[in-house]
Amino acid sequence: MSATVQRLAGTQPSLDPMIHLVADDMLRVNDAIRNRMTSEIPLIPELAGHLIAGGGKRMRPMLTLASARLVGYSGSRHHGLAAAVEFIHTATLLHDDVVDGSDLRRGKRTANTIWGNPASVLVGDFLFSRSFELMVESGSLRALKILSNASAVIAEGEVNQLTAARRVDLAEDRYLEIINAKTAALFAAACRIAAVVADRPEAEETALDAYGRNLGIAFQLVDDAIDYTSDAGTMGKDAGDDFREGKMTLPVILAYARGDAEQRAFWKDAVEGRRDSDEDFAQAIALVQSSHSVADTMARARHYGQQAIDAIAPFPAGAAKDAMIEAVEFAVARAY
């Protein structure tokens, strides 16, 4: 398994090249987001705005815009689709926080802790509806099919994760299946639709899909590792959230598989909710570190990151390609 990601330079990677690349397009996307958040019901824009303006980098819509640059598209149909991607993402976050009972999102109180679970779910539904309006307005049935399918896959991934909750025997293959659906599907769709509206060949669609999908998997695996290596300020959520929610993320799956009988008993108790104190979390960190589970999770993230970079190798060199490569490097480097 590859453990290296192609480097563009010796500096710390960042999203700045992509941000600068798509800055003008993002102004139009942000306008679309603001316009579609409006409602005669004041709670809707208030709650949605709390999350949308909450400090996220809007990486998914930026990927749509950067992918459009990569394939040489010069129209404007991708602006509304990029806004639709952000609405889908925001809606899933609202629903996720309700399901997980999360208190923090990007370092701020989650919407459900402020306005309650029912309002969060319903506003999430509102944003899904707005996203479908934007898809239809793009005039591309194929883009509509790709994004609507991604929405269904995300929901399936959520249900799959729910049925796997607090299952200490969760296999690595099933976990990868879950994150492929929950996280990677939207990354893949966000990139692919750029080739669709640009009327590019199927091979370019497939390449952008592979780029986004592998980037999404790498992104989620790094998130898995961060829960056992960083503080709340770095993560934008409470340290140990995954541990206390009994989530079998990849570091835990590996640590459990490599543990002796006593260590496996600890993990079973933790995943089933009987070990969730600060001392237990400290022990969990020690176990994932001593079993090299965090390091191996990061190695897998680098592998998928390299797969993402390799997927866009056939495209011509230029600012768009460089920015998309550095976005992969940034996604992986977040854990350091």
Side-chain angles (χ1 to χ4, degrees), residues 221-259:
L221 290 176
V222 172
D223 272 2
D224 290 354
I226 284 175
D227 198 58
Y228 291 93
T229 60
S230 301
D231 58 22
T234 303
M235 292 183 290
K237 62 179 183 177
D238 289 332
D241 266 2
D242 288 350
F243 172 76
R244 293 184 177 87
E245 291 165 12
K247 288 185 178 179
M248 286 295 287
T249 57
L250 189 57
V252 178
I253 291 170
L254 297 177
Y256 177 77
R258 296 168 181 177

Side-chain angles (χ1 to χ4, degrees), residues 169-299:
D169 59 345
L170 184 69
E172 181 175 343
D173 286 350
R174 185 173 177 192
Y175 185 66
L176 289 173
E177 178 184 292
I178 290 170
I179 66 173
N180 190 24
K182 272 198 60 180
T183 303
L186 188 57
F187 275 82
C191 296
R192 185 169 199 140
I193 56 175
V196 171
V197 296
D199 294 320
R200 301 303 301 163
E202 178 74 20
E204 293 188 16
E205 275 190 48
T206 302
L208 286 174
D209 185 287
Y211 168 84
R213 190 170 305 278
N214 283 288
L215 171 56
I217 293 173
F219 193 92
Q220 185 59 58
L221 290 176
V222 172
D223 272 2
D224 290 354
I226 284 175
D227 198 58
Y228 291 93
T229 60
S230 301
D231 58 22
T234 303
M235 292 183 290
K237 62 179 183 177
D238 289 332
D241 266 2
D242 288 350
F243 172 76
R244 293 184 177 87
E245 291 165 12
K247 288 185 178 179
M248 286 295 287
T249 57
L250 189 57
V252 178
I253 291 170
L254 297 177
Y256 177 77
R258 296 168 181 177
D260 58 26
E262 182 180 348
Q263 291 166 348
R264 286 189 171 206
F266 166 82
W267 285 118
K268 188 174 191 300
D269 286 343
V271 169
E272 293 177 359
R274 295 186 294 275
R275 301 286 296 267
D276 59 2
S277 68
D278 289 345
E279 292 77 12
D280 293 327
F281 180 48
Q283 183 175 348
I285 291 173
L287 289 176
V288 296
Q289 295 289 353
S290 64
S291 62
H292 307 291
S293 299
V294 167
D296 286 348
T297 297
M298 286 304 304

